[in-house]
């Protein structure tokens, strides 16, 4: 099925996020009809911290290999690894040339701010001109970076859809009223991040969410499983706490 069509099925598309070829291939073998990538997993696997704009080459290299998989692949390119619209558009065109089906492009910046709205819409428009066949998932971090801001979220998802985004992604959105408001405002498929105990799949399906991403959760649980398996050789370790996003960031940075 075409990647766009997967966003209009009877149930939300569950998009698991891979960090290398093996994880992607395993997810395909498990029956998922499409996969994405996780920027945290890609960065951490390279010994780098996430969301710093420092993994352009690793992201391109992974995209090349994942394009061999028999399902659509969408790639997280963070903020595009550049402030120049032409650079981001060029990256999108390069990924499309490999056979990549979509990209995830966010407006959050490493300093915790949001890209100016006008700048971000110009980037999105440039990407669509350069790679019109890509499914452009425009992420806004209005909920992810701090206190939820519904009005700013609605302003941005409307603008991103008007600029050509094929879908919008609002990680951190949880409440029914907020989700309904975004669905009504955007007019394009809505992607929600799966947060255990907070954004459960049946409820998101009832609300009409189109796509549910796992984000870095599989990668973090894989790290936890690896440590648990190694400690089990001696019968030590016991129950260890799950790794959060910040735990992995600190692990990689050595802090």
């Amino acid at each position: 099925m075409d990647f766009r069509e997967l966003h209009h099925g009877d149930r939300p598309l569950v998009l698991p996020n891979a960090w290398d070829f093996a994880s992607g291939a395993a997810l395909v073998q498990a029956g998922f009809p499409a996969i994405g990538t996780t920027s945290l997993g890609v960065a951490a696997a390279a010994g780098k911290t996430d969301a710093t704009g420092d993994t352009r080459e690793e992201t391109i290299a992974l995209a090349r290999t994942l394009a061999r998989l028999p399902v659509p692949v969408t790639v997280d390119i963070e903020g595009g690894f550049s402030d120049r619209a032409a650079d981001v558009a060029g990256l999108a065109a390069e990924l499309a040339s490999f056979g990549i089906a979509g990209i995830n492009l966010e407006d959050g910046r490493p300093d915790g701010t949001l890209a100016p709205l006008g700048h971000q819409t110009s980037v999105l428009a440039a990407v669509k001109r350069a790679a019109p066949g890509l499914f452009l998932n425009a992420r806004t971090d209005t909920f992810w970076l701090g206190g939820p801001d519904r009005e700013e979220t609605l302003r941005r998802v409307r603008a991103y859809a008007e600029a050509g985004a094929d879908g919008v992604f609002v990680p951190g959105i949880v409440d029914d009223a907020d989700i309904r408001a975004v669905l009504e405002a955007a007019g394009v498929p809505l992607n929600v991040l799966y947060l255990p105990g907070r954004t459960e799949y049946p409820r998101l399906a009832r609300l009409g969410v189109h796509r549910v991403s796992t984000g870095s959760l599989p990668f973090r649980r894989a790290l936890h499983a690896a440590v648990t398996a190694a400690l089990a050789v001696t019968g030590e370790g016991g129950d260890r706490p799950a790794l959060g996003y910040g735990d992995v960031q600190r692990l990689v940075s050595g802090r």
Side-chain angles (χ1 to χ4, degrees), residues 140 142-143 149-159 161 168 170 173-190 192 203 207-210:
T140 182
T142 46
F143 276 67
D149 189 336
R150 186 197 291 189
E151 291 310 310
E152 182 62 16
T153 302
L154 299 182
R155 188 166 77 103
R156 285 181 177 257
V157 297
R158 288 190 192 101
V168 293
V170 188
I173 196 170
V174 171
D175 293 342
D176 288 12
D178 291 331
I179 291 172
R180 289 193 183 100
V182 173
L183 282 166
E184 183 177 351
V188 295
L190 171 61
V192 171
R203 179 170 65 89
L207 289 169
V209 169
H210 303 82

Side-chain angles (χ1 to χ4, degrees), residues 35 94 138 168 209 212:
I35 65 166
E94 183 176 5
V168 293
V209 169
V212 182

Side-chain angles (χ1 to χ4, degrees), residues 2 23 25 31 44 58 80 84 103 117 140 151 179 187-188 191 195 198 204 226 231:
D2 177 83
S23 58
E58 290 86 355
R84 297 182 65 249
I103 58 171
L117 180 57
T140 182
E151 291 310 310
I179 291 172
V188 295
N191 185 178
L195 300 170
R198 302 182 67 201
L204 296 180
L231 289 171

Side-chain angles (χ1 to χ4, degrees), residues 30-188:
F32 289 97
I35 65 166
T37 64
T38 162
S39 63
L40 176 67
V42 173
K48 298 178 178 181
T49 52
D50 184 32
T52 61
D54 193 31
T55 56
R56 185 181 191 277
E57 296 308 313
E58 290 86 355
T59 298
I60 292 173
L62 178 59
R64 282 184 181 275
T65 62
L66 291 180
R68 293 161 39 198
L69 295 173
V71 300
V73 175
T74 182
V75 176
D76 185 346
I77 62 169
E78 298 185 15
F81 307 114
S82 174
D83 289 328
R84 297 182 65 249
D87 293 343
V88 182
L91 173 60
E94 183 176 5
L95 294 174
S97 75
F98 303 159
I100 294 300
I103 58 171
N104 194 73
L105 180 61
E106 65 196 50
D107 59 13
R109 292 295 177 258
D111 63 0
T113 63
L114 296 172
L117 180 57
H119 171 77
Q120 194 68 7
T121 54
S122 68
V123 173
L124 295 171
V127 166
K128 288 305 293 184
R129 288 193 297 270
L134 275 182
F135 187 99
L136 174 56
N137 199 39
R139 166 175 160 171
T140 182
D141 285 344
T142 46
F143 276 67
W144 193 245
L145 293 178
D149 189 336
R150 186 197 291 189
E151 291 310 310
E152 182 62 16
T153 302
L154 299 182
R155 188 166 77 103
R156 285 181 177 257
V157 297
R158 288 190 192 101
Y160 295 168
E162 290 172 2
D166 300 287
V168 293
F169 181 23
V170 188
I173 196 170
V174 171
D175 293 342
D176 288 12
D178 291 331
I179 291 172
R180 289 193 183 100
V182 173
L183 282 166
E184 183 177 351
V188 295

